Amino acid sequence: MEKLQIALRKARETRSMRDARVDGLPVGAGLDSDVAAQGTPAERMASDYDLAWRALAPAEIDPAHLVRNRVVALDSVQAASPFDVLRTKIFLMMRKNGWTRLAITSPGPGCGKSTLACNLAAGFTRQPDLRTMLIELDLRRPTIAKTLGITPPHDVSSMLGGQFSFAEQALRLRDNVAIAAARRPSKDPTSLLLSRSTETALSEIETLYAPDLMIFDLPPILLGDDTRAFLKQTDCALIVARANVTTAPQIAACEQEISEHTNVLGVALNQCRHIDPDTGYGSDYGY
């Protein structure tokens, strides 16, 4: 909790310095942080959340790099339509049930779960009233930093282990999406995902940032025990299957495994090309 207070104090100082510049005051004159804290308790709480989000370092994104890596949902374009539909369905179902923590997994590798997670996060940047986090927990084969073309200041494992705060590790995508990605593979992710430090770190993040949705990119569930180790800390899980690769028995096994630890939100079929004979809509609307 001490790290939270330090991060919040720094955020208030940053806002005071910014306000001082706007008002024509010399930098360093600042504004009393107590003044910034005036208002009703609800207003002060909302202000604290805003400060915490603004204090996150912005991610430098190359749109061309995103497209090359099939992240197409940053802007409202035709290719983003399938991800927008999925984003809206996920959020409405989770809000209806009072859920905030979403796990994304798959039966096996190569299903595109991390790419889908990145597109969901990118799509939520176009929902400015919602605050969303994408936290990478596929720590044996992390790909999010490479996919998005970003370099986190510190590794997500170090943040979960308590060596760094979320404010020191995460990057902000536009104004309302935070990305906590890995810099390198982890040697023993299962012990980290089961640790008290990870549970504490996530609770502190929720306290300081009040995200509407936390998306966790987890490993394929049928390949090891990393995902099982963490699912109990989530509200629900989305299964990503790959058309013509993932089998029905694999999906059934995945659903059974998940249901023992959390709620199954549904199955997303990736890389499926289908033409509706009634509408004519087909692969032009995304892969």
Side-chain angles (χ1 to χ4, degrees), residues 138-142 155 157 182-189:
D138 190 349
L139 301 178
R140 297 183 192 272
R141 297 184 62 184
D155 193 71
S157 297
R183 289 176 61 98
R184 62 186 68 86
S186 174
K187 294 181 179 179
D188 188 12

Side-chain angles (χ1 to χ4, degrees), residues 50-233:
D50 289 338
L51 286 170
W53 279 84
R54 292 172 188 170
L56 295 174
E60 300 295 333
I61 295 294
D62 177 7
H65 177 89
L66 295 183
V67 173
R68 287 195 298 271
N69 287 273
R70 294 182 173 176
V71 179
V72 296
L74 192 63
D75 298 303
S76 182
V77 295
Q78 186 176 3
S81 180
F83 297 108
D84 289 349
V85 172
L86 182 62
R87 174 200 64 194
T88 302
K89 285 186 175 182
I90 287 173
F91 178 71
L92 291 179
M93 290 176 67
M94 293 186 66
R95 169 170 281 185
K96 178 181 178 181
N97 289 284
W99 298 337
T100 57
R101 294 187 179 190
L102 169 67
I104 296 183
T105 185
S106 61
C111 292
K113 63 173 183 59
S114 297
T115 303
L116 186 144
C118 288
N119 273 288
L120 284 178
F124 273 109
T125 66
R126 293 185 279 113
Q127 300 292 322
D129 292 335
L130 302 177
R131 295 188 177 106
T132 304
M133 293 180 172
L134 172 58
I135 300 178
E136 184 168 37
L137 297 181
D138 190 349
L139 301 178
R140 297 183 192 272
R141 297 184 62 184
T143 60
I144 287 179
K146 182 178 179 181
T147 298
L148 297 179
I150 60 176
T151 303
H154 305 285
D155 193 71
V156 68
S157 297
S158 299
M159 182 270 290
L160 295 174
Q163 287 85 11
F164 298 98
S165 68
F166 188 79
E168 295 171 309
Q169 194 274 325
L171 296 173
R172 176 170 44 80
L173 187 59
R174 290 182 173 162
D175 294 330
N176 63 320
V177 173
I179 309 290
R183 289 176 61 98
R184 62 186 68 86
S186 174
K187 294 181 179 179
D188 188 12
T190 302
S191 62
L192 177 64
L193 297 177
L194 283 171
S195 68
R196 180 66 61 84
S197 67
T198 293
E199 184 176 352
T200 299
L202 295 178
S203 295
E204 291 182 347
I205 289 170
E206 286 184 315
T207 299
L208 180 58
Y209 297 91
D212 297 285
L213 182 65
M214 300 177 77
I215 302 172
F216 300 97
D217 179 31
L218 292 169
I221 191 170
L222 300 182
L223 294 186
D225 59 347
D226 294 352
T227 298
R228 295 180 186 86
F230 185 77
L231 280 176
K232 62 182 178 63
Q233 296 198 51

